[in-house]
Amino acid sequence: MLIEETFYDVKTSYNTTMRLFVYHPKILNYPKVKFPGVVVYSEIYQVTGPVSRFAKDIAGQGFIVVAPSIYHNFESYEPLAYDDEGTDKGNLYKIEKELKSYDEDNSLAIDYLLSLPTCNGKIGATGMCLGGHLAFRASLDPRIKAAVCFFATDIHSHALGKGKNDDSLLRSSEIKGEIILIFGCKDNHVPLEGRDLIRSTLRKNNVEMTFIEINDAQHAFVRDELSKGRYDPATTKSCMEWLLELFNRKLKLDYGDHDGKPVTIENIC
């Protein structure tokens, strides 16, 4: 599917300008076709080449994708470099930005998607690393119907935002959409104990969830540039199939109202 790349600048309550990078699918001769929307959250380096390509891959499957420049509180929209300086800046900004500002970013991105006449009104979220946590947190907004979180950091340690004391996991019972969380078993940013805590908490809170732990995969295995030897294209392809299955099922179909009937699973082989 063809896509068009543009951007939209939105003013925030912090007197800053957040740039939304927009990747819009199009079908020739059908200007009124409607697509679901997806917010793609970046890692700590803002919207880099790998994040943009990730967003375009999703857009090419028939989703209007916006990728916010999350560090508008401190920088312009340009990506940070994948080097020591860029890493230090990204990690500092991550815990200097107020949690309310992250939430406002999400709300503004969703508002923009819903304002488009080509959006069908259904919104999903995804992201990697910090962006995985932001996609998880985006799910607290009832307008998010589905989310896929790649190696989401700091959920288990409650360390997102200024004060390093976020309530994302504590509020997980508020998630009404369906969510997929994907981790590598060798991710040293989210150890086994942290993954167990996330999974058990979501199970306890009856969140509709698929929890995937990939043997031998490390942190940042999706990043196809400067991943420090961790990029795994085969695993990434498999994960994208999970993402597209969920987004196609939850964002493109019209379910109507729930019938209110319980589902009984027969115990058969």
Side-chain angles (χ1 to χ4, degrees):
M1 189 174 295
L2 298 176
I3 59 173
E4 292 181 337
E5 296 181 51
T6 56
F7 64 85
Y8 180 77
D9 289 336
V10 58
K11 292 293 184 181
T12 76
S13 67
Y14 292 81
N15 198 31
T16 61
T17 299
M18 176 175 64
R19 174 155 293 186
L20 298 174
F21 294 89
V22 182
Y23 309 91
H24 197 302
K26 66 176 184 178
I27 300 175
L28 297 178
N29 302 119
Y30 290 90
K32 295 183 178 181
V33 64
K34 293 182 182 292
F35 304 98
V38 172
V39 185
V40 167
Y41 286 104
S42 68
E43 48 194 353
I44 61 169
Y45 304 96
Q46 298 213 99
V47 184
T48 59
V51 174
S52 179
R53 289 189 288 274
F54 177 75
K56 285 186 278 191
D57 283 345
I58 297 171
Q61 298 296 322
F63 301 90
I64 307 168
V65 176
V66 297
S69 54
I70 56 174
Y71 288 151
H72 56 86
N73 312 73
F74 315 102
E75 297 258 354
S76 184
Y77 56 82
E78 290 88 357
L80 302 177
Y82 286 123
D83 58 16
D84 290 342
E85 181 182 358
T87 300
D88 290 344
K89 277 187 176 182
N91 280 322
L92 175 63
Y93 296 159
K94 179 180 72 169
I95 59 173
E96 281 296 312
K97 180 172 172 128
E98 293 184 9
L99 205 59
K100 288 183 179 179
S101 183
Y102 283 122
D103 292 342
E104 182 185 64
D105 292 351
N106 181 64
S107 184
L108 291 171
I110 296 173
D111 289 347
Y112 170 73
L113 284 167
L114 293 176
S115 75
L116 298 175
T118 49
C119 180
N120 72 355
K122 296 181 181 180
I123 312 296
T126 187
M128 58 188 77
C129 190
L130 163 63
H133 190 152
L134 295 180
F136 181 92
R137 192 165 180 85
S139 297
L140 301 176
D141 188 315
R143 295 177 295 176
I144 295 292
K145 305 302 181 186
V148 180
C149 309
F150 288 87
F151 37 89
T153 55
D154 302 318
I155 294 177
H156 68 289
S157 56
H158 318 286
L160 177 66
K162 196 172 185 66
K164 299 176 68 175
N165 189 31
D166 72 76
D167 58 356
S168 302
L169 192 59
L170 182 66
R171 293 176 57 194
S172 59
S173 61
E174 299 175 28
I175 297 174
K176 302 306 179 186
E178 187 173 342
I179 191 167
I180 298 176
L181 295 104
I182 302 171
F183 295 99
C185 289
K186 293 185 177 179
D187 187 334
N188 56 357
H189 292 269
V190 190
L192 176 61
E193 296 80 8
R195 302 194 303 270
D196 286 347
L197 175 64
I198 295 168
R199 182 177 56 249
S200 63
T201 302
L202 296 188
R203 292 293 184 213
K204 181 180 67 175
N205 288 334
N206 295 315
V207 176
E208 291 188 49
M209 173 187 67
T210 298
F211 198 96
I212 301 171
E213 294 176 284
I214 302 169
N215 185 49
D216 281 341
Q218 302 178 58
H219 193 71
F221 67 82
V222 172
R223 194 167 79 210
D224 65 2
E225 178 183 331
L226 295 172
S227 69
K228 302 173 184 176
R230 297 172 294 183
Y231 175 50
D232 187 333
T235 295
T236 298
K237 182 177 183 295
S238 295
C239 292
M240 288 298 289
E241 291 298 323
W242 281 98
L243 178 149
L244 292 174
E245 188 282 327
L246 177 63
F247 284 177
N248 282 326
R249 177 165 49 84
K250 283 292 188 176
L251 304 180
K252 289 185 177 180
L253 300 179
D254 185 352
Y255 279 68
D257 296 328
H258 193 287
D259 62 12
K261 299 178 181 179
V263 176
T264 302
I265 307 299
E266 294 184 52
N267 187 20
I268 56 176
C269 296

